[in-house]
């Protein structure tokens, strides 16, 4: 019997990306038995094997074909600079890689860093930034707890991942210069064979449907018939909105899809145009 081909995906074993990565697969309808203490597990209803790795190792493993795919932060992808392909941004694990200096320091631009020592776990990205800016500074690579470096006199600036900024604040630092915006991405080996590419397309189709659904809301509202055209004009929809007569004469029910980015603005305008009973419902999957 021919052995079934499976895609092998590298996922962070534990840490900030683990849960969202598993959740994404679940939202794609992929069932995985929970066995995170193991090195690997497999999906019961999709040709996928999951390997659990440290996030830093994932680009290398994907380059070396230990795994076909991986989910990892862009910060790690661009720091490691391996020969892999970024397939899709996944919309979670959002953070930025930023330069921070002690509170009260007057940072007026990258020239401030000239001749200073910067502690970081991202020497490649910091070096690239300094070169782009034409600034010469010393990069001091450390493996963890970068935020304490200025306090103990090890460096006068740091470059680290930030999401809320509270860790910096607690360590007497201020974020002064973002150098990279990052989120989790799906990466793949550069030389997948056609059979594996076909499985990847199926997975990607599901991921894109989940992502679109998250960015969109289903909206239902009641519109007075005399302002129906105005209200329909406000709704972008996928094609055109569905309009159904209500039991009450002179009113219609309008259904459509709204993008999160334009959501609040359009809701305001709909209310002003006389829409009532506006219901906003999450969408589970969206295939367009
Ligand atoms: P591992 O044991 O796998 O090496 P780690 O300690 O290097 O884990 P985590 O702190 O779990 O990594 O972060 C994993 C990824 O989560 C980061 O590389 C980054 O892409 C993303 N991330 C999102 N927000 C933040 C944040 N505020 N601080 C650090 N990482 C963040
Ligand atoms: Zn790591």
């Amino acid at each position: 019997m021919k052995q079934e081909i499976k895609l092998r995906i590298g996922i962070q074993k534990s840490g900030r990306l683990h849960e969202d990565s598993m959740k994404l697969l679940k939202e794609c309808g992929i069932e995985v038995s929970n066995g995170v203490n193991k090195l690997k597990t497999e999906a019961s209803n999709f040709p996928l094997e999951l390997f659990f790795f440290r996030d830093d190792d994932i680009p290398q493993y994907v380059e070396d074909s230990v795994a076909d795919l991986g989910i990892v932060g862009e910060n790690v992808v661009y720091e490691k600079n391996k020969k892999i392909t970024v397939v899709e941004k996944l919309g979670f694990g959002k953070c930025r890689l930023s330069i921070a200096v002690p509170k009260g320091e007057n940072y007026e631009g990258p020239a401030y860093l000239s001749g200073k020592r910067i502690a970081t776990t991202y020497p490649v990205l910091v070096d690239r930034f300094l070169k782009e800016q034409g600034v010469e500074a010393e990069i001091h690579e450390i493996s963890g707890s970068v935020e304490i470096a200025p306090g103990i006199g090890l460096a006068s600036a740091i470059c680290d991942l930030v999401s809320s900024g509270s860790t910096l604040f607690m360590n007497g630092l201020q974020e002064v210069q973002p150098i990279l915006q990052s989120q989790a991405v799906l990466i793949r080996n550069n030389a997948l064979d056609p059979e594996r590419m076909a499985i990847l397309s199926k997975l990607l189709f599901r991921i894109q449907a989940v992502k679109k659904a998250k960015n969109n809301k289903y909206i239902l509202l009641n519109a007075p018939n005399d302002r129906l055209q105005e209200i329909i004009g406000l709704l972008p929809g996928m094609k055109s909105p569905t309009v159904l007569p209500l039991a009450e004469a002179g009113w219609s029910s309008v259904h459509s899809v709204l993008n999160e980015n334009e959501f609040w603005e359009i809701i305001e305008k709909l209310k002003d145009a006389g829409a009532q009973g506006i219901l906003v419902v999450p969408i589970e999957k969206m295939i367009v």
Side-chain angles (χ1 to χ4, degrees):
M1 198 179 87
K2 195 173 158 236
Q3 224 198 335
E4 189 197 3
I5 290 182
K6 290 184 178 171
L7 275 187
R8 299 154 303 161
I9 186 168
I11 284 176
Q12 192 188 23
K13 183 174 168 62
S14 63
R16 292 173 196 263
L17 299 180
H18 175 80
E19 258 165 46
D20 284 334
S21 304
M22 298 302 284
K23 192 167 126 232
L24 176 67
L25 295 179
K26 194 168 174 208
E27 287 167 340
C28 289
I30 297 172
E31 282 166 19
V32 177
S33 61
N34 288 327
V36 180
N37 290 326
K38 293 184 290 188
L39 170 65
K40 64 175 188 172
T41 182
E42 55 183 29
S44 57
N45 58 356
F46 195 85
L48 193 68
E49 255 184 308
L50 286 72
F51 286 73
F52 300 111
F53 297 134
R54 283 199 56 201
D55 66 344
D56 314 66
D57 298 334
I58 291 175
Q60 180 75 62
Y61 285 153
V62 171
E63 180 181 301
D64 293 344
S65 269
V66 172
D68 304 303
L69 307 176
I71 295 180
V72 68
E74 288 174 295
N75 51 307
V76 172
V77 171
Y78 298 121
E79 176 68 25
K80 302 291 176 190
N81 224 348
K82 300 293 172 194
K83 293 186 194 71
I84 50 97
T85 303
V86 174
V87 183
E88 181 85 6
K89 296 194 188 223
L90 299 176
F92 61 84
K94 287 190 178 163
C95 58
R96 51 199 184 271
L97 186 63
S98 288
I99 308 244
V101 300
K103 259 180 250 166
E105 284 291 310
N106 187 21
Y107 181 93
E108 281 173 340
Y112 169 95
L113 299 166
S114 178
K116 295 208 162 59
R117 188 182 231 219
I118 309 167
T120 188
T121 44
Y122 293 89
V124 172
L125 291 172
V126 175
D127 186 53
R128 186 191 301 169
F129 172 76
L130 293 173
K131 289 216 169 81
E132 276 166 14
Q133 301 296 326
V135 171
E136 284 204 25
E138 184 192 342
I139 298 171
H140 188 70
E141 184 179 356
I142 51 180
S143 59
S145 301
V146 172
E147 65 285 352
I148 66 168
I152 59 174
L154 193 60
S156 44
I158 66 162
C159 186
D160 204 7
L161 294 175
V162 187
S163 45
S164 70
S166 59
T167 308
L168 293 180
F169 186 81
M170 284 188 305
N171 285 280
L173 300 170
Q174 52 175 342
E175 179 183 3
V176 291
Q177 176 86 58
I179 71 168
L180 177 81
Q181 300 291 331
S182 177
Q183 60 177 286
V185 287
L186 180 70
I187 59 172
R188 72 162 172 88
N189 177 272
N190 280 350
L192 288 188
D193 58 45
E195 278 162 305
R196 287 183 172 78
M197 282 302 274
I199 305 174
L200 172 59
S201 302
K202 281 190 188 163
L203 177 64
L204 203 53
F205 176 75
R206 296 189 187 191
I207 290 176
Q208 285 165 347
V210 170
K211 268 177 63 186
K212 278 199 198 94
K214 278 194 188 142
N215 290 333
N216 288 280
K217 302 275 182 249
Y218 194 74
I219 174 169
L220 303 93
L221 58 85
N222 296 335
N225 285 348
D226 55 353
R227 301 191 73 179
L228 199 52
Q229 286 316 315
E230 187 184 343
I231 287 174
I232 289 174
L234 291 169
L235 293 167
M238 280 201 280
K239 285 212 173 68
S240 53
T242 307
V243 181
L244 303 164
L246 282 187
E248 189 181 330
W251 285 82
S252 296
S253 168
V254 179
H255 302 195
S256 188
V257 173
L258 277 191
N259 188 282
E260 198 139 60
N261 300 327
E262 49 197 10
F263 182 77
W264 287 111
E265 205 182 322
I266 292 182
I267 295 282
E268 291 298 320
K269 289 184 184 156
L270 289 170
K271 271 170 53 194
D272 293 346
Q276 293 183 9
I278 303 176
L279 277 185
V280 178
V281 192
I283 300 172
E284 198 180 287
K285 307 277 188 302
M286 189 162 148
I287 291 126
V288 289

